[in-house]
Amino acid sequence: MSRVLSWFSCGAASAYATKLAIAKYGDRCEVVQCDTLKFEHPDNVRFMDDCRKWFGRSSIQVLKSDEYKDTWDVWEKTRWLAGINGARCTTELKVKPR
């Protein structure tokens, strides 16, 4: 059987969606978070740990960009934040690492 990924963003909606995915797919469901926490609210770290326990998991897999360390690094290296196709940091820190 194939694996199922649940993209957890440290928000309430993704937390609930992850809980439902785990209930449906069990151990086939892997919980994954793309690391953007440096410039987000510090309580997200606590919330992620609370959710990890609520999910019944020993860990949440965190993906990081090989090229950029955070949103500010994307801006400094590219001088581009957002355009017609969306935010550059989303592409670099979430889409590409996936």
Side-chain angles (χ1 to χ4, degrees):
M1 295 189 115
S2 61
R3 67 185 181 156
V4 175
L5 302 179
S6 182
W7 297 106
F8 176 67
S9 68
C10 294
S14 70
Y16 191 69
T18 297
K19 185 71 169 173
L20 292 174
I22 291 170
K24 183 172 183 174
Y25 299 106
D27 290 337
R28 288 180 45 215
C29 183
E30 296 178 37
V31 183
V32 184
Q33 192 262 349
C34 294
D35 184 24
T36 58
L37 294 173
K38 183 174 181 180
F39 291 109
E40 293 188 30
H41 195 281
D43 194 49
N44 282 358
V45 175
R46 181 214 43 92
F47 184 69
M48 184 164 59
D49 191 52
D50 286 352
C51 286
R52 177 192 59 75
K53 293 171 189 169
W54 183 50
F55 300 152
R57 298 299 169 99
S58 60
S59 65
I60 292 175
Q61 182 179 358
V62 178
L63 300 181
K64 293 179 174 261
S65 169
D66 291 332
E67 190 173 351
Y68 303 99
K69 59 185 176 185
D70 54 47
T71 53
W72 188 250
D73 192 36
V74 173
W75 161 249
E76 286 182 327
K77 288 180 179 173
T78 67
R79 296 292 190 220
W80 188 72
L81 283 179
I84 194 167
N85 294 319
R88 177 81 184 254
C89 59
T90 297
T91 301
E92 300 298 339
L93 299 176
K94 293 180 180 180
V95 176
K96 285 185 177 180
R98 290 178 182 175

